[in-house]
Amino acid sequence: MHSHCAINDTSPACLPQSDSDQDARAQEVATRKTGFIYGPSLIGQAAPFPNGTLGNARSQYDMDLWNVDRTAIDNAVAEDVKAIQAAIEANGGLNSLDDYVNVLYKGEWENSNPLEEAPGIMTNYTQDLLFSMERLSQNPYPLELVKPSDPLPFQVPDGLTENITGVSLETLHTNGNLFVADHSYQTEYEKTTVEPQRYGAAATAYFYIHPESKDFLPLAIKTNAGSDLIYTPLDTPTDWLLAKMIFNVNDMFHSQMFHLVASHDVSEAVHQAALHTLSEKHPIMIILERLMTQAYSSRIVGEQLCFNPGGHWDQLFYVNNVGCRQFVSDNWKTHGAFRSGYLETDLRTRGLIDENSQFKFKSFPFFQDALKIRNTFHDFFSSFIDSYYASDNDVHADFEVRNWFAEATGAAQVSDFPESDSSSLTKGTLVDVLTHFGFIVSVVHHGLNGGDPVGSKATLPFHLNALYAPLPTEKGVTDLLPFLPPAENSIHYIGFLATFNRPFYRTSNRTLEYAFSEDSLLQRLNEKTRDAAATFMDSMKSISTEIRARGFDENGLSLGMPFVYRTLDPGYIPYFSAV
């Protein structure tokens, strides 16, 4: 039934129980186990980082690959920065919010971000619907239903909720139409001291489904800092816009630090467990290695360039590198939990979808795109596992996989990973684990990080990295310009974000469409898997075609939003966690 394995690593994949040379295979696994050592975590206390002779060689190899890509994007950014500096100089600086849109962007980042900014994101940023729908697209992870059985996070001043929504806060709450994104935990994190001085809050925001229109809209923003003001859409347009910017500072911190834990840390820990237990000839190992392209460069780059004291992060954001590390350590067991991170499990826990995966919102763009991609992974891995394991008994007989599961929950410190006993270890479990692995290195990573922030979720002037003036002690602000980053800091910020972009992957077969379509990978796997890989590519290409065709309807909306959401385009995002 199975082809016998040869010695070299271009040999056909096979399971350990069907390997004709058990001794050589066991020796190879033992050599790897000795050469890969679990070293200390990087960037906070989360996943171990590979040390030892093989571990060091692997991270160096990944760094060398990363360096090639980084040099290419750095050169593109340098070209763009020259053009942007000239444009700002010609304009006599950035003197209004409109200058941030028209001078700072407007086709000037053509080398590092040829996609340009997402349609609508620069022109409609003052609309409440854009702000609220970003919670269902750009960063869906902090949002949750205020469950009718839970206490209210905060009270909105008398009568305001009725004026805004037509019903009381209690009615919204009782009817399951009140949602919250709470960043109050950021109060305790250490703040940057690098000049220019920066400011911020630790905001909590309410959102609601409107009883009549059914639109998903913002209700109130509480700063949890300074005078602890509560802003609503009934404030002056300038005060209310500032409140949304204050929230965005906190939300940007969350999206970037959450992504580090939920994609990099989780995938690295699970993969390291495999490096200690699976042979290079194991079909699952061949797939994992593909999805872990360049993976062990990410946290080294983070330590050296981003979260180093006084580095890019400290120069640009409000919470400093120490606060970032604390967030990682605080949330490794929760945001890093494996099965509770499964797409529908997570959204159900937070009350955003019901047990049938239906949602109350008019649209839920992140979930709608993420689900299609997740299902495409699931189809591929179902065929893949079916082709190597006839039954659950074959899975139980695979001692390498059993060891992998035990290692993941043990030495690799992954929370909420399935148990290694035979009742847990089924074909279905393997499909779910591999599906989620593919999902976190593609959807979770690029949904939050990668090439999206520079042209979408982190565009100035709305999505601030930090405030550049103190929080107002009272309402009545008339000028937002002092709160925005000065020209030099704005250029640094956009340039920094652009370095995470990989526009050239579209022409080098490194997008998600091509995840399983590499010849050296396919020739080692069986024919059923090769067929499944071709189907996977076709499915991803059709998802990409659909996303690229998006535009605005007669109401000026796309998927119910005043901007075009194209973040998860499988024809653009990489199949691995590229930074």
Side-chain angles (χ1 to χ4, degrees):
M1 182 173 85
H2 297 275
S3 54
H4 290 308
C5 295
I7 318 299
N8 61 7
D9 65 1
T10 56
S11 63
C14 68
L15 301 181
Q17 61 263 45
S18 357
D19 197 323
S20 55
D21 195 342
Q22 298 274 338
D23 292 345
R25 184 167 176 137
Q27 188 53 55
E28 180 239 312
V29 173
T31 302
R32 281 240 292 234
K33 202 172 176 66
T34 313
F36 282 100
I37 292 169
Y38 294 104
S41 175
L42 301 180
I43 318 171
Q45 296 307 309
F49 193 80
N51 288 179
T53 50
L54 293 178
N56 295 338
R58 168 64 64 97
S59 59
Q60 186 56 56
Y61 176 79
D62 285 359
M63 282 298 292
D64 291 344
L65 287 177
W66 173 84
N67 256 312
V68 176
D69 291 344
R70 180 63 176 233
T71 302
I73 195 68
D74 277 350
N75 292 340
V77 170
E79 286 295 304
D80 291 340
V81 165
K82 271 188 221 144
I84 204 83
Q85 284 169 332
I88 292 173
E89 208 166 308
N91 191 62
L94 298 174
N95 306 309
S96 67
L97 263 66
D98 284 349
D99 282 354
Y100 279 79
V101 174
N102 298 320
V103 182
L104 197 52
Y105 290 91
K106 278 291 172 184
E108 295 287 5
W109 298 90
E110 59 187 3
N111 297 294
S112 56
N113 189 26
L115 267 192
E116 296 194 343
E117 294 73 52
I121 205 81
M122 305 303 292
T123 46
N124 297 328
Y125 70 83
T126 60
Q127 291 186 25
D128 278 356
L129 189 62
L130 183 140
F131 174 66
S132 51
M133 290 303 293
E134 285 191 315
R135 316 280 69 80
L136 298 177
S137 55
Q138 306 273 31
N139 182 14
Y141 290 100
L143 186 71
E144 50 188 288
L145 174 71
V146 183
K147 296 191 171 76
S149 54
D150 288 346
L152 285 167
F154 66 91
Q155 288 293 339
V156 178
D158 286 350
L160 291 183
T161 305
E162 285 89 337
N163 293 353
I164 297 163
T165 73
V167 298
S168 69
L169 189 63
E170 283 65 31
T171 302
L172 289 173
H173 183 208
T174 311
N175 293 344
N177 287 328
L178 183 67
F179 299 82
V180 70
D182 181 5
H183 294 306
S184 58
Y185 60 89
Q186 290 178 30
T187 302
E188 64 182 88
Y189 292 160
E190 193 174 299
K191 308 307 189 295
T192 188
T193 54
V194 178
E195 291 295 324
Q197 182 64 52
R198 270 148 291 150
Y199 306 89
T204 302
Y206 274 149
F207 301 88
Y208 71 101
I209 295 173
H210 195 284
E212 301 300 320
S213 69
K214 306 298 180 208
D215 285 337
F216 181 69
L217 293 164
L219 174 62
I221 295 170
K222 182 177 187 286
T223 60
N224 301 315
S227 303
D228 196 12
L229 299 174
I230 296 177
Y231 292 92
T232 76
L234 299 177
D235 288 317
T236 68
T238 305
D239 274 335
W240 178 232
L241 184 55
L242 176 62
K244 291 186 281 188
M245 290 171 163
I246 289 168
F247 176 88
N248 283 345
V249 171
N250 299 131
D251 204 68
M252 185 64 189
F253 171 85
H254 181 281
S255 68
Q256 297 319 299
M257 301 321 301
F258 177 96
H259 115 269
L260 179 62
V261 176
S263 63
H264 296 288
D265 279 313
V266 175
S267 58
E268 288 179 36
V270 172
H271 180 250
Q272 283 174 81
L275 288 170
H276 285 248
T277 51
L278 300 185
S279 160
E280 288 174 5
K281 294 184 287 193
H282 201 295
I284 289 176
M285 194 68 206
I286 292 169
I287 293 285
L288 291 178
E289 291 283 50
R290 172 73 175 167
L291 296 173
M292 289 297 280
T293 301
Q294 290 187 25
Y296 295 106
S297 65
S298 299
R299 284 197 287 163
I300 294 178
V301 171
E303 284 285 3
Q304 291 179 354
L305 292 179
C306 187
F307 301 107
N308 51 315
H312 285 301
W313 193 276
D314 288 358
Q315 291 170 39
L316 290 169
F317 293 91
Y318 174 50
V319 172
N320 74 0
N321 79 90
V322 177
C324 291
R325 295 166 198 278
Q326 189 184 335
F327 178 94
V328 170
S329 304
D330 289 349
N331 291 288
W332 169 228
K333 294 288 182 232
T334 47
H335 296 332
F338 196 82
R339 282 175 294 187
S340 46
Y342 289 2
L343 176 62
E344 286 152 300
T345 308
D346 168 43
L347 295 178
R348 250 177 231 130
T349 304
R350 291 188 282 122
L352 304 185
I353 59 173
D354 67 18
E355 61 282 359
N356 301 314
S357 298
Q358 301 300 302
F359 46 84
K360 284 175 91 167
F361 316 110
K362 284 181 176 175
S363 68
F364 191 168
F366 169 81
F367 177 56
Q368 289 165 264
D369 285 355
L371 186 63
K372 290 187 190 105
I373 293 172
R374 200 282 314 268
N375 289 345
T376 305
F377 270 117
H378 195 273
D379 290 347
F380 170 79
F381 283 122
S382 297
S383 302
F384 168 72
I385 292 298
D386 279 346
S387 74
Y388 283 99
Y389 300 92
S391 69
D392 289 342
N393 287 335
D394 288 347
V395 179
H396 303 156
D398 185 339
F399 48 89
E400 286 181 358
V401 157
R402 238 181 16 245
N403 293 342
W404 174 38
F405 274 48
E407 186 84 6
T409 46
Q413 302 165 42
V414 185
S415 329
D416 195 29
F417 200 77
E419 298 295 319
S420 54
D421 61 274
S422 55
S423 60
S424 306
L425 196 49
T426 62
K427 285 170 63 173
T429 304
L430 276 182
V431 171
D432 288 345
V433 164
L434 291 170
T435 296
H436 189 55
F437 195 94
F439 184 80
I440 60 178
V441 300
S442 59
V443 170
V444 177
H445 188 277
H446 304 298
L448 297 174
N449 186 262
D452 176 77
V454 69
S456 189
K457 75 169 53 60
T459 45
L460 297 171
F462 184 50
H463 307 98
L464 292 184
N465 45 314
L467 299 182
Y468 286 76
L471 285 181
T473 53
E474 56 187 16
K475 294 179 185 181
V477 168
T478 53
D479 182 10
L480 294 179
L481 212 54
F483 296 96
L484 303 187
E488 189 187 337
N489 304 94
S490 297
I491 296 169
H492 180 189
Y493 184 49
I494 301 170
F496 170 71
L497 297 170
T499 60
F500 293 86
N501 198 12
R502 295 290 181 270
F504 41 85
Y505 281 4
R506 292 177 293 180
T507 50
S508 53
N509 296 354
R510 287 188 281 178
T511 60
L512 181 53
E513 295 169 339
Y514 289 88
F516 305 119
S517 296
E518 208 240 337
D519 288 343
S520 60
L521 171 107
L522 292 174
Q523 71 187 20
R524 299 186 64 191
L525 299 168
N526 59 27
E527 194 179 345
K528 279 186 179 157
T529 301
R530 287 197 286 272
D531 291 346
T535 305
F536 177 93
M537 180 186 261
D538 288 344
S539 301
M540 288 298 183
K541 286 196 158 161
S542 71
I543 296 169
S544 177
T545 302
E546 181 195 339
I547 291 174
R548 287 177 185 205
R550 282 177 188 160
F552 295 111
D553 62 20
E554 64 280 3
N555 301 314
L557 301 176
S558 174
L559 302 179
M561 308 197 293
F563 70 98
V564 176
Y565 182 65
R566 55 188 189 184
T567 303
L568 297 178
D569 176 1
Y572 191 83
I573 63 172
Y575 62 83
F576 56 98
S577 297
V579 301

